[in-house]
Amino acid sequence: MQGYVRQDGKLGIRNTVQVVFLVECAHHVAKRIAESFTADVQYFGFPGCYPSDYGHRLVRNLCTHANVGAVLLVSLGCENFDRNRLHQEIRQSGRPCETLVIQETGGTAPSIAEGCRRVREMLATIAATPRRAMTFGDLIIGTVCGGSDGTSGITGNPAVGRAFDRLLADNAICMFEESGELIGCEPHMMARAADESVRRDIDAAMSKARDYYSTMGLGSFSNGNAVGGLTTLEEKSLGAYAKSGDGKISGVIRPTEIPTKPGLYLMDVVPDGEPRFGYPNICDTSEIVELIATGCHIVLFTTGRGSVIGSVIAPVIKVCNNPQTYARLSDDMDINAGRIISEGATLDDVADDILRAIENTASGMPTKAEKLGHVEFVLTYKDFDYGKACCR
């Protein structure tokens, strides 16, 4: 594995230019600029006119992610996103950054033309980015599940857990999330806490998730889960929990808080404060983006029913839990964990497949989602008290 060496010390496994719109009004221009190039140029953005602190942190972390070599910011001109502050933060990370203001450039067509010119210059600049060898200990790996079914808790999810255990032994940083889907698993997680302070943090995060879901009427059990053979919320929660493996939990983090020490971390994705409208129901895509904004080089996405999403910035490796689903959607799936059922493979066999896929992906091999051109992103409004202690 050969990483791209950034001036801020990060090591990336991709070398992309990101075209970032700072309000929905600039979405079309950013999209047209990015789609004028190859997969080395992607686009994402913040749709609202009034970003929260969380929103700014999320966009900043995505723009300065290890897999990002340069950034073109696309502003309409009158939105409230602080483009000058963001521009400065990106430049301070050592990345080339340019800002394009549509209202000053002359509208749609001139802005697209000027944006394409600047991106061409950025691609030429980052082509000279130095490389150096990487190990698993240099990686941050996240996991999320979507479209779970009756096979998820006995194939792909525990296989990801086995892979996590082995990554942690190599000093990697691993993170799992979906606190709302882990309700009921609190005693198991607290028993694995590295110390008493982490135990309290897990308890507090899960208590917040229970309150939020109860007050807002949110749920993590879909019709598709039931059709796929899951019978209870407890069964689904335990299946989701299996992705975390057996290692000690080193801390609880919130989106955009990047751990600095190797270990296993629970990401608390439920907003702080009193439950209130504005936090959407579970969305796999937004949670993938939050994992990436928290430093993940790669995201392991497990699915039983099947999912075809990918993401901007960090590759998504899809682990298919069900052999029948894999047969139907093999062009979208990277790993057939369902062979535990159909072929008698072991969890360790599939963990080997997962680690091999991570190594290949980190070495530059595109995932199925990357080959198909998937660059999904969803950025949401949330609020977190980042003044509280974390990442103990």
Side-chain angles (χ1 to χ4, degrees):
M1 297 186 291
Q2 292 286 319
Y4 294 91
V5 182
R6 307 298 176 199
Q7 290 187 29
D8 57 6
K10 295 178 181 177
L11 276 176
I13 64 169
R14 296 291 185 269
N15 195 29
T16 63
V17 172
Q18 295 295 326
V19 183
V20 182
F21 58 89
L22 302 181
V23 66
E24 185 63 26
C25 306
H27 187 151
H28 176 75
V29 169
K31 180 174 184 286
R32 288 288 301 276
I33 294 169
E35 291 182 345
S36 299
F37 297 88
T38 67
D40 291 332
V41 181
Q42 301 172 344
Y43 76 98
F44 72 92
F46 191 84
C49 198
Y50 292 87
S52 61
D53 177 55
Y54 157 86
H56 186 98
R57 291 172 63 111
L58 199 74
V59 174
R60 178 201 64 201
N61 280 22
L62 293 171
C63 290
T64 57
H65 189 278
N67 293 349
V68 176
V71 179
L72 173 64
L73 301 178
V74 182
S75 163
L76 175 63
C78 55
E79 72 277 356
N80 284 281
F81 206 111
D82 191 342
R83 62 178 181 268
N84 293 327
R85 173 187 168 195
L86 179 61
H87 181 106
Q88 183 179 10
E89 289 168 336
I90 298 168
R91 293 297 293 265
Q92 287 175 343
S93 76
R95 289 162 177 77
C97 179
E98 299 284 344
T99 298
L100 184 68
V101 181
I102 296 170
Q103 291 170 346
E104 298 174 2
T105 307
T108 298
S111 296
I112 292 171
E114 175 62 13
C116 288
R117 184 189 69 79
R118 296 190 191 188
V119 168
R120 281 193 292 271
E121 293 177 351
M122 289 178 177
L123 287 170
T125 299
I126 67 174
T129 303
R131 311 284 299 273
R132 79 162 174 82
M134 296 180 71
T135 68
F136 283 146
D138 294 310
L139 294 175
I140 304 177
I141 307 293
T143 187
V144 63
C145 56
S148 300
D149 69 3
T151 68
S152 298
I154 58 176
T155 59
N157 289 8
V160 167
R162 293 285 177 94
F164 264 24
D165 290 343
R166 288 156 64 176
L167 287 166
L168 292 171
D170 285 333
N171 293 317
I173 293 174
C174 297
M175 58 183 72
F176 67 109
E177 46 84 71
E178 298 174 299
S179 49
E181 290 199 7
L182 293 169
I183 293 172
C185 299
E186 297 90 333
H188 304 294
M189 290 188 287
M190 288 190 289
R192 293 168 53 195
D195 55 42
E196 181 58 30
S197 64
V198 175
R199 185 182 184 281
R200 290 194 299 268
D201 289 345
I202 294 171
D203 190 26
M206 296 308 299
S207 176
K208 181 177 61 170
R210 289 194 304 271
D211 290 345
Y212 220 111
Y213 275 59
S214 175
T215 302
M216 303 299 291
L218 302 178
S220 63
F221 199 93
S222 71
N223 291 334
N225 298 146
V227 172
L230 285 171
T231 59
T232 63
L233 181 58
E234 290 80 2
E235 185 181 8
K236 185 180 181 186
S237 293
L238 287 168
Y241 168 74
K243 301 195 307 299
S244 66
D246 295 317
K248 287 288 185 184
I249 298 175
S250 300
V252 177
I253 56 174
R254 290 157 296 217
T256 74
E257 294 177 328
I258 301 176
T260 58
K261 297 179 181 179
L264 176 66
Y265 295 85
L266 167 65
M267 181 185 287
D268 173 13
V269 299
V270 178
D272 291 330
E274 292 298 317
R276 59 195 179 280
F277 290 101
Y279 170 47
N281 207 339
I282 287 175
C283 173
D284 298 330
T285 304
S286 66
E287 292 178 350
I288 289 173
V289 169
E290 286 178 327
L291 285 167
I292 297 170
T294 312
C296 288
H297 293 89
I298 292 170
V299 176
L300 304 174
F301 187 106
T302 67
T303 181
R305 298 284 291 167
S307 176
V308 299
I309 64 171
S311 181
V312 293
I313 299 175
V316 174
I317 296 175
K318 289 199 286 296
V319 181
C320 187
N321 305 322
N322 188 316
Q324 295 176 343
T325 303
Y326 184 84
R328 288 194 303 272
L329 301 174
S330 58
D331 287 346
D332 286 276
M333 301 298 156
D334 297 281
I335 295 168
N336 180 14
R339 67 192 189 93
I340 292 172
I341 295 171
S342 61
E343 302 173 14
T346 67
L347 291 174
D348 286 323
D349 290 335
V350 177
D352 288 340
D353 295 343
I354 293 169
L355 292 172
R356 192 176 305 112
I358 291 172
E359 184 172 8
N360 289 338
T361 301
S363 299
M365 182 181 296
T367 64
K368 294 289 185 69
E370 287 180 298
K371 288 179 181 179
L372 291 167
H374 283 280
V375 287
E376 286 84 353
F377 62 92
V378 173
L379 278 72
T380 57
Y381 282 88
K382 292 185 182 179
D383 188 29
F384 291 94
D385 182 1
Y386 288 107
K388 296 190 299 185
C390 71
C391 303
R392 301 179 191 277

